[in-house]
Amino acid sequence: NIMMGGPITPREVRGETEDDHHGADGNLMPSPIAAKFVEAAKKIRILNSLRHPAVGFILTASQFDSITPTGVVARLIAMKRPALATSIGKYLMLPKSVQLLARASKASALVSSADSKRSDSEIADAAIKIIKNESKRGGGGPHQQQQTQEFNRGGYASVALAANQAGRPGVATLLLMLETSVVDKVQALISIGSYADAVAVATNARDGDFVFQALMEYEKSCTSQMMQQQRLNTNFQQNFIHTVITKFTHEAFHSLRRYLMTLSDVQGVKELLRTANKNSDAGLALAKKALECKSNERERKVRLLNDASGIFGQNKETAFHKQCTDDYFELIRDQEVLRNKYGNKDVAPECSSVTSTMVSLIHHAALDPQNSDRLLNDTEKLAKKFRIPDKRMWHVKIKALSESGQWPVLKALAGSRAKSPIGYKPFARAAIKGKRDAQEIIRYIERITQPEEKYDLYCEAHLWNRALDEAGKLRDFRRVANVRSLCSSAEIEARCDSMLQSGGV
């Protein structure tokens, strides 16, 4: 040990120990002169050890103060004098992080220069003792060991890297088992090539960023190996995906899946899901990508839909998915036919909804009276081809005709021989919303058989006399009172009062 000398504190001069100092005079503090003497003695001791011929780091007192003790320790580590750096850090009671850096450098030097005949466990134990700063007498009680473990976060990882560079991966593995810092442990595992272990540590810590980093670093490693072997081909991607599925955690698999879904090329996510025997998910991924295609990417959309349909067709459980995909493909083709037929792109804008396509056709019939009959017939054909239920078809027609102002067509629909499967309440509602005249609204309401519905619609249309008639038929004084509270006509209010007082409800 380069740092030699006698006692440097007044307590040591008196021959007292730490236990002796807990007596009655335990609160006594050294005088300023004694403290100054101790600091000067410490500095002289440090400077003497630095200028030793084995070190050769000559400094004056002012230079030492300028560099600071922490800077001196850092320079000693750079000069490959970790043992002296460790002694100075402990002697001056520098911050725990500085002392840990020095001890880690000392342990790294030990594992790098260890005899090849020594086993991995022996070298690891020696390095652990240095990091923990344990003496031959032991490492202290449980509480002290727990504090030491907290102070040593990151130290084991740095020594493990040195052990791996020295060709002792077994030592590195043993040291990393004691590392408690997730950040340092993951980075060290990635550096030594233990990508699956890095992913496992990141997954246990629930850190998605580290999981993704380990995945990307592993992919880079696979690419680098293939480039060195000069045989970069599709097997590289297959090997990478196979390893992720079989050796990495589920969180890593799903993280890679989400990343591949953001890429324009779908082959990666397709290969990943199919290798994992998730054919339905692979088809859904392709179909989702097809829906995200822009209007000028029709060929790509068609190709993706065909691929998705082919994947869905390989399993009976995904027969419904295949049918939906095929129907969507047919819808796209029919929309293109309609646009070419009428020479207008607004007739059937490209979308994934049959209902929206039908609404567009009906709306365009109002803008093109000459072809209105043809457009309405094409709407019927489209609904029949895609098996649209009658109730939905009637709701779509009523809504689209009222929105486009085709009231004569709506009247003809209500008066057709075919009975409305949804009743005539939607017709009345459409007329009320379209602010049609009272006679047209009454014509639709009178075809409703339920008195309660007729009363509600009359109130909605502000036809208060009609609403009172229905309330009288129902003999419901609460409905009469409701009309009185809603209307703003003195005549209607008087009629309500008369009905309520005379009991003529």
Side-chain angles (χ1 to χ4, degrees):
N1 192 347
I2 298 175
M3 292 180 56
M4 304 296 292
I8 60 170
T9 63
R11 189 187 309 164
E12 293 175 344
V13 172
R14 295 193 301 267
E16 297 178 358
T17 63
E18 186 70 22
D19 296 333
D20 297 333
H21 197 59
H22 292 290
D25 60 345
N27 294 327
L28 295 178
M29 298 295 293
S31 65
I33 297 177
K36 188 174 181 180
F37 169 79
V38 170
E39 292 300 326
K42 284 184 177 181
K43 186 181 297 185
I44 293 173
R45 203 175 209 181
I46 298 292
L47 294 176
N48 287 336
S49 63
L50 292 176
R51 66 167 54 95
H52 192 276
V55 180
F57 188 13
I58 301 174
L59 290 176
T60 63
S62 60
Q63 289 174 336
F64 179 83
D65 294 336
S66 299
I67 297 177
T68 70
T70 302
V72 170
V73 170
R75 293 197 180 189
L76 287 173
I77 294 174
M79 295 170 59
K80 298 183 180 180
R81 296 290 186 273
L84 181 57
T86 303
S87 300
I88 293 177
K90 181 180 180 181
Y91 179 65
L92 296 178
M93 291 182 291
L94 296 180
K96 298 294 184 180
S97 58
V98 178
Q99 294 188 46
L100 175 60
L101 176 62
R103 294 198 304 271
S105 301
K106 183 178 179 180
S108 300
L110 171 68
V111 298
S112 299
S113 60
D115 189 358
S116 60
K117 295 181 180 180
R118 299 180 64 181
S119 63
D120 291 342
S121 59
E122 292 177 351
I123 299 174
D125 289 340
I128 291 170
K129 288 183 177 180
I130 294 175
I131 296 174
K132 290 184 176 181
N133 194 23
E134 292 181 352
S135 63
K136 296 181 179 180
R137 292 176 294 179
H143 180 66
Q144 182 179 355
Q145 291 180 358
Q146 183 179 3
Q147 285 185 337
T148 302
Q149 188 177 13
E150 294 177 356
F151 290 143
N152 294 335
R153 289 171 57 89
Y156 298 103
S158 60
V159 180
L161 291 176
N164 185 71
Q165 292 177 357
R168 305 302 293 259
V171 177
T173 302
L174 293 173
L175 291 172
L176 286 174
M177 292 175 62
L178 300 176
E179 182 57 68
T180 59
S181 172
V182 176
V183 177
D184 297 302
K185 190 172 185 177
V186 170
Q187 299 299 333
L189 288 170
I190 291 174
S191 299
I192 66 177
S194 298
Y195 299 101
D197 293 336
V199 169
V201 172
T203 301
N204 291 334
R206 298 185 179 183
D207 195 316
D209 293 335
F210 282 146
V211 172
F212 183 73
Q213 180 187 1
L215 282 170
M216 294 298 99
E217 292 296 334
Y218 175 59
E219 185 178 19
K220 291 179 182 179
S221 176
C222 293
T223 306
S224 177
Q225 292 177 5
M226 290 294 179
M227 292 293 291
Q228 291 176 0
Q229 298 174 6
Q230 296 182 355
R231 54 185 182 91
L232 182 61
N233 48 36
T234 56
N235 292 332
F236 147 71
Q237 187 72 9
Q238 294 176 358
N239 294 336
F240 169 70
I241 290 175
H242 179 74
T243 304
V244 171
I245 294 173
T246 57
K247 296 184 178 181
F248 285 25
T249 61
H250 294 292
E251 289 79 3
F253 171 82
H254 292 296
S255 179
L256 180 61
R257 175 184 178 178
R258 289 192 297 270
Y259 166 68
L260 293 176
M261 280 296 294
T262 62
L263 304 179
S264 59
D265 187 7
V266 298
Q267 292 302 319
V269 66
K270 176 182 175 182
E271 188 69 24
L272 175 68
L273 294 173
R274 298 201 66 180
T275 304
N277 294 325
K278 296 180 179 293
N279 291 331
S280 61
D281 291 342
L284 290 173
L286 295 178
K288 183 178 180 180
K289 281 291 186 180
L291 293 175
E292 294 175 355
C293 290
K294 298 179 180 179
S295 57
N296 58 351
E297 298 177 330
R298 188 176 184 278
E299 294 182 359
R300 182 170 183 265
K301 175 182 284 190
V302 171
R303 184 174 66 256
L304 291 173
L305 290 175
N306 286 330
D307 291 344
S309 178
I311 294 175
F312 289 141
Q314 296 176 3
N315 195 335
K316 294 182 179 180
E317 296 179 355
T318 55
F320 175 73
H321 300 76
K322 176 176 172 56
Q323 184 63 45
C324 292
T325 306
D326 293 341
D327 287 346
Y328 178 47
F329 182 74
E330 287 293 326
L331 176 63
I332 293 176
R333 189 163 57 183
D334 290 343
Q335 289 171 347
E336 183 69 21
V337 171
L338 290 170
R339 287 192 292 268
N340 295 333
K341 180 178 179 180
Y342 295 101
N344 193 327
K345 63 179 181 179
D346 295 330
V347 172
E350 188 169 328
C351 63
S352 60
S353 171
V354 179
T355 300
S356 299
T357 305
M358 293 164 54
V359 170
S360 298
L361 289 171
I362 297 174
H363 283 176
H364 197 73
L367 303 176
D368 190 2
Q370 295 180 353
N371 295 318
S372 60
D373 293 338
R374 295 172 59 197
L375 287 164
L376 295 176
N377 289 334
D378 287 336
T379 304
E380 295 285 349
K381 292 178 181 179
L382 194 67
K384 185 177 181 180
K385 179 177 180 179
F386 290 98
R387 303 173 298 279
I388 302 298
D390 290 341
K391 290 185 177 182
R392 184 196 296 182
M393 181 62 188
W394 278 71
H395 276 295
V396 170
K397 283 184 176 180
I398 294 171
K399 184 174 184 296
L401 290 172
S402 61
E403 288 177 349
S404 58
Q406 301 181 70
W407 300 107
V409 181
L410 183 64
K411 180 180 178 181
L413 179 64
S416 61
R417 295 181 179 180
K419 184 179 179 181
S420 172
I422 59 175
Y424 294 92
K425 184 176 180 179
F427 288 91
R429 280 271 173 84
I432 294 171
K433 186 177 180 180
K435 298 181 180 180
R436 304 299 293 173
D437 58 80
Q439 294 300 323
E440 185 173 352
I441 296 174
I442 293 172
R443 182 168 57 250
Y444 291 129
I445 296 177
E446 288 301 318
R447 301 189 67 171
I448 299 174
T449 58
Q450 296 293 331
E452 292 84 357
E453 292 184 358
K454 294 173 70 174
Y455 168 81
D456 292 338
L457 290 171
Y458 280 132
C459 289
E460 188 176 345
H462 295 176
L463 299 175
W464 306 118
N465 283 317
R466 294 273 182 171
L468 286 175
D469 293 341
E470 296 300 327
K473 294 177 183 179
L474 292 170
R475 304 186 63 81
D476 191 339
F477 71 92
R478 289 175 297 180
R479 283 186 165 88
V480 175
N482 181 55
V483 171
R484 191 184 188 288
S485 64
L486 293 176
C487 72
S488 58
S489 171
E491 181 182 353
I492 300 299
E493 291 178 357
R495 184 184 175 188
C496 292
D497 294 337
S498 176
M499 293 177 68
L500 292 173
Q501 292 174 5
S502 63
V505 178

